[in-house]
Amino acid sequence: MTATPGEDATDSLGPAGAAVPDNVAPAAKPIVAVVLLAFAAAGLWASSRMTWVTVYSADGLTEPRTDDLNGGVWFGALTPLALVLVAAIAAVFAVKGVLRQLLGVVISVVAAAAAVPGFALAVGAGKTADRAGTLAELPVRAVVSSADTHLAPAVLSIFAASLALAAGILLTRRSGDPAEVSDKYDNPVFRRADASAAVSKQNAETGTAAPLSDRVLWDALDAGTDPTDTDETPGAGHHPAQESK
């Protein structure tokens, strides 16, 4: 015998043989992590389009020169890292369990890398003027007179990286969500085996399978276990039809 369509649509077998409502599954999706990743990717992309450093130079022959260096020039990996976070959003829904935790570790590493240039610029680490002159591709005779840093885009990149880090930490945490725990029971083979074990245990303890759900009873029948075949049932375990052969 097989379960009726109506019963399949109402519940599924959980780890302990109990019914797990289908409406639990949507809540299991890591919506918070996905939202954080979306904002983080948008923040990094916006920061890469903003001016991080303005460099002033002169070569003594022409008019003084001013160059604005945006985040994509100052830190070339900023835009690619934003795209990595966008790809990570799709990956979150494509993997589960340990793979999702590993994805969280990767996202955390990306977040740390994205925060480094903004933090360095904000605290004034490194030779900003020399680096700006190199990135601006100034003529050989040109001399950098000054370089102005813009903290807003640097702080934005740090904030976006923090959001990505938070998302990565959320994904690395093992979830006790019933929907994830019962994933393997979506497989009919596992579900029927578990139902058979649940019926046998219930019969052994109480002599009846009555408390179990209809879905469990149907799956037990599919597995070849008769829920009515208990130790108290006359002829339990005795099959006259087989002896007559």
Side-chain angles (χ1 to χ4, degrees):
M1 298 176 65
T2 58
T4 60
E7 290 164 342
D8 286 339
T10 57
D11 52 41
S12 58
L13 186 61
V20 177
D22 288 341
N23 58 9
V24 172
K29 296 180 180 179
I31 299 300
V32 175
V34 169
V35 172
L36 290 175
L37 287 174
F39 279 108
L44 290 183
W45 182 86
S47 178
S48 70
R49 296 297 182 269
M50 300 170 67
T51 300
W52 283 42
V53 177
T54 300
V55 56
Y56 304 93
S57 63
D59 58 9
L61 299 176
T62 60
E63 292 294 328
R65 174 175 170 177
T66 301
D67 293 278
D68 292 326
L69 306 178
N70 62 28
V73 175
W74 188 255
F75 181 51
L78 197 61
T79 300
L81 289 179
L83 296 177
V84 169
L85 295 182
V86 173
I89 294 176
V92 167
F93 293 103
V95 298
K96 295 181 179 179
V98 176
L99 291 179
R100 181 175 287 175
Q101 290 179 299
L102 292 177
L103 177 63
V105 173
V106 173
I107 292 174
S108 299
V109 173
V110 170
V116 170
F119 180 79
L121 187 66
V123 299
K127 299 180 179 180
T128 303
D130 292 343
R131 176 176 170 80
T134 301
L135 294 177
E137 300 180 350
L138 301 176
V140 178
R141 296 185 302 272
V143 177
V144 176
S145 57
S146 64
D148 294 337
T149 58
H150 304 272
L151 293 182
V155 172
L156 176 59
S157 69
I158 296 174
F159 178 70
S162 300
L163 294 180
L165 180 61
I169 293 175
L170 286 177
L171 294 175
T172 55
R173 296 177 61 184
R174 183 176 294 276
S175 173
D177 199 308
E180 293 188 5
V181 175
S182 63
D183 278 345
K184 73 173 185 176
Y185 296 97
D186 292 336
N187 187 312
V189 175
F190 289 107
R191 192 176 67 238
R192 291 167 186 168
D194 187 79
S196 179
V199 168
S200 299
K201 180 179 179 180
Q202 187 72 14
N203 284 339
E205 293 178 351
T206 65
T208 176
L212 297 176
S213 66
D214 292 342
R215 176 58 180 274
V216 175
L217 299 180
W218 278 105
D219 286 337
L221 288 173
D222 286 344
T225 300
D226 186 356
T228 63
D229 189 9
T230 66
D231 293 338
E232 298 179 359
T233 303
H238 185 68
H239 303 282
Q242 292 182 356
E243 294 179 355
S244 62
K245 293 183 180 179

